[in-house]
């Protein structure tokens, strides 16, 4: 029975407090009651926290779109996250494209130029898919998770304390209003003296609670600067992850371009031998550093090649790109290997005779770099 009485009294007190706050809030909006203003420093901190929350949400959501453009996949990942379960692994777009290319190349025949090229492209696309998966995992761990922790953790605490501060301010202003009314009535009737004393005591209590809550809120808000510093470190991690990803993709595509450059430019059938394959112009631009004379290397410039074809001796040459022989009269090459080359009377000007151990065959001059 006593517990029930206590609960009823508490419920009545809470209802009275809520009503008092509602009345104070309404009168403030109507301009019929005074409002205690927060100090400028606290207002600035509140504004900074709100601004941080808004932009953090926007950056977080757009980063998620960047890393996972498929909205259905994002919703699925969100549901699994809320259920505290691991989302099933799914093949990404580069990996799927790579698998299609490999399957097509296998069906066309790995021995054909087009089939072989498709397989090489497919393998590269799958490597890009793996790099893409690593970027998503690293970015989610080092960038998105800290941002989400701020929104769902720190800022929720700030919002809770801010709401509590607002309630304490309403209680304070309501107490001020009651005291003001009691003092006005006291001048007309001495019976109000006790009410004035009660109102003054209530004002002191509400003022103390308001000041305490303002200090708690201020301390939390001042932590926003530390949040910015932490998010800056996370941003650096995100940029580093992107840099690693794009560097990997660039290297994969550069290697693929060199491999594709090894195919004959006018491939028709295995009997075509009169035209030497030429690496693409973009390969020469991207790999220009590899074509610079360094450490005793001599680039296979037209003058050097003419000198070589006119002389009767042999020279050492480094292979610039992989090359698959089109027929038995040619010699397959691997990038960076060193072979012996010499000219043969009557041979097409775009070709030299290459020798590696007991293997011998024609090699395209555009794939060679003469050594001193």
């Amino acid at each position: 029975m006593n517990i029930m009485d206590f609960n009823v009294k508490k419920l009545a007190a809470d209802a009275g407090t809520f009503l008092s706050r509602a009345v104070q809030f309404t009168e403030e909006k109507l301009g019929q009651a005074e409002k205690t203003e927060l100090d400028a420093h606290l207002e600035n901190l509140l504004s900074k926290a709100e601004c941080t929350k808004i932009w953090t949400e926007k950056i977080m959501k757009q980063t998620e779109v960047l890393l996972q453009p498929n909205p259905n996949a994002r919703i699925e990942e969100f549901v699994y996250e809320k259920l505290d379960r691991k989302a099933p692994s799914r093949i990404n777009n580069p990996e799927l494209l790579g698998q299609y290319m490999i399957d097509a190349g296998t069906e066309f025949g790995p021995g054909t130029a087009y089939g072989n090229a498709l397989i090489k492209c497919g393998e590269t696309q799958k490597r890009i898919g793996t790099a893409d998966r690593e970027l998503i995992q690293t970015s989610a761990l080092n960038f998105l998770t800290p941002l989400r922790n701020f929104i769902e953790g720190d800022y929720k605490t700030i919002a809770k304390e801010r709401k509590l501060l607002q309630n304490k301010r309403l209680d304070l202003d309501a107490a001020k209003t009651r005291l003001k009314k009691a003092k006005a009535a006291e001048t007309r009737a001495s019976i109000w003296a006790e009410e004035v004393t009660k109102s003054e005591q209530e004002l002191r209590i509400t003022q103390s609670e308001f000041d305490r809550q303002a200090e708690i809120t201020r301390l939390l808000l001042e932590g926003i600067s530390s949040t910015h510093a932490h998010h800056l470190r996370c941003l650096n991690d995100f940029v580093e992850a992107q840099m690693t990803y794009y560097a990997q993709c660039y290297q994969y595509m550069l290697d693929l371009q060199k491999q594709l450059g090894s195919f004959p430019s006018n491939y028709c059938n295995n009997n075509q031998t009169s035209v030497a394959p030429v690496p693409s112009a973009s390969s020469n631009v991207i790999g220009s550093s590899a074509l610079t004379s360094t450490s005793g290397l001599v680039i296979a410039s037209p003058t050097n090649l003419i000198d070589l074809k006119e002389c009767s001796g042999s020279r050492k040459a480094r292979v610039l790109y992989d090359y698959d022989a089109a027929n038995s009269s040619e010699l397959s090459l691997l990038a960076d290997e060193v072979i012996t080359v010499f000219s043969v009377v009557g041979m097409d000007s775009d070709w030299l005779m290459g020798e590696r151990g007991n293997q011998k065959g024609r090699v395209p001059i555009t794939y060679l770099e003469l050594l001193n």
Side-chain angles (χ1 to χ4, degrees):
M1 186 67 178
N2 292 334
I3 295 177
M4 184 177 294
D5 289 342
F6 174 77
N7 289 338
V8 171
K9 289 180 180 179
K10 184 176 185 301
L11 181 62
D14 290 343
T17 301
F18 177 79
L19 180 61
S20 174
R21 290 170 181 170
V23 171
Q24 178 64 28
F25 182 80
T26 303
E27 290 181 348
E28 287 176 0
K29 291 298 181 181
L30 297 176
Q32 298 174 357
E34 295 181 0
K35 175 182 177 181
T36 299
E37 299 294 340
L38 302 177
D39 65 79
H41 178 59
L42 186 55
E43 286 285 6
N44 288 335
L45 290 176
L46 287 169
S47 177
K48 185 178 181 180
E50 182 67 20
C51 182
T52 300
K53 179 251 186 182
I54 292 172
W55 283 110
T56 299
E57 284 182 332
K58 289 183 177 180
I59 292 172
M60 184 175 67
K61 290 179 180 179
Q62 194 56 39
T63 302
E64 291 173 344
V65 173
L66 172 68
L67 297 176
Q68 177 51 269
N70 188 340
N72 293 329
R74 291 201 303 275
I75 293 174
E76 181 182 351
E77 290 172 356
F78 175 79
V79 171
Y80 274 101
E81 181 181 347
K82 291 303 178 183
L83 294 176
D84 197 20
R85 294 175 58 186
K86 184 178 180 181
S89 178
R90 68 170 65 85
I91 188 170
N92 57 32
N93 291 331
E95 289 173 333
L96 184 60
L97 174 61
Q99 190 59 54
Y100 285 165
M101 286 182 168
I102 291 174
D103 293 343
T106 302
E107 187 165 343
F108 293 151
T112 65
Y114 183 44
N116 195 1
L118 277 172
I119 292 174
K120 291 182 183 296
C121 288
E123 291 171 348
T124 299
Q125 289 296 332
K126 295 189 80 170
R127 283 195 289 269
I128 290 176
T130 300
D132 186 65
R133 194 181 299 277
E134 292 173 354
L135 171 65
I136 292 175
Q137 293 174 349
T138 303
S139 300
L141 179 64
N142 297 335
F143 186 59
L144 288 177
T145 298
L147 266 58
R148 187 176 292 107
N149 288 343
F150 167 73
I151 295 297
E152 298 180 356
D154 295 349
Y155 188 78
K156 278 190 175 181
T157 302
I158 290 174
K160 178 183 176 182
E161 297 298 334
R162 181 178 184 176
K163 183 178 180 180
L164 190 56
L165 175 63
Q166 171 72 355
N167 289 337
K168 295 300 182 183
R169 185 197 62 76
L170 289 172
D171 292 343
L172 172 62
D173 288 337
K176 289 179 178 179
T177 301
R178 283 192 292 272
L179 177 60
K180 185 177 181 181
K181 290 179 179 178
K183 285 186 175 181
E186 184 185 24
T187 58
R188 297 191 298 270
S190 59
I191 193 172
W192 284 92
E194 183 179 348
E195 185 66 24
V196 170
T197 302
K198 181 180 177 182
S199 297
E200 288 176 342
Q201 183 180 2
E202 182 184 6
L203 177 60
R204 286 193 296 271
I205 294 174
T206 54
Q207 181 70 59
S208 175
E209 291 178 348
F210 171 77
D211 292 341
R212 178 176 176 274
Q213 186 59 39
E215 184 62 23
I216 292 173
T217 307
R218 180 183 292 105
L219 290 174
L220 282 173
L221 292 171
E222 286 176 346
I224 290 292
S225 296
S226 298
T227 298
H228 285 188
H230 178 53
H231 287 182
L232 175 59
R233 292 192 295 271
C234 296
L235 181 61
N236 286 331
D237 291 339
F238 178 54
V239 171
E240 185 174 346
Q242 284 187 303
M243 182 181 68
T244 300
Y245 168 72
Y246 290 119
Q248 285 178 326
C249 291
Y250 171 78
Q251 188 59 50
Y252 292 153
M253 298 310 296
L254 187 62
D255 294 341
L256 175 62
Q257 191 177 47
K258 290 180 179 179
Q259 293 178 34
L260 294 182
S262 67
F263 296 124
S265 57
N266 293 321
Y267 185 90
C268 293
N269 53 53
N270 288 341
N271 294 324
Q272 179 176 343
T273 60
S274 60
V275 180
V278 180
S280 65
S282 57
S283 297
N284 293 335
V285 172
I286 295 176
S288 60
S289 60
L291 301 181
T292 306
S293 177
T294 58
S295 302
L297 298 181
V298 178
I299 304 305
S301 64
T303 303
N304 290 331
L305 292 172
I306 292 173
D307 293 341
L308 176 61
K309 294 187 74 66
E310 289 179 351
C311 72
S312 58
S314 60
R315 293 279 297 275
K316 294 290 185 180
R318 184 174 71 86
V319 178
L320 295 175
Y321 313 102
D322 290 349
Y323 175 68
D324 293 331
N327 53 50
S328 59
S329 69
E330 297 178 8
L331 181 65
S332 294
L333 304 173
L334 294 175
D336 294 326
E337 71 171 325
V338 177
I339 63 173
T340 301
V341 294
F342 54 91
S343 61
V344 175
V345 177
M347 182 177 289
D348 190 283
S349 60
D350 292 330
W351 298 80
L352 288 172
M353 187 61 70
E355 191 175 61
R356 179 180 56 229
N358 59 357
Q359 295 180 320
K360 186 182 298 185
R362 301 188 325 142
V363 294
I365 60 176
T366 51
Y367 280 65
L368 302 176
E369 181 179 60
L370 297 183
L371 305 177
N372 284 333

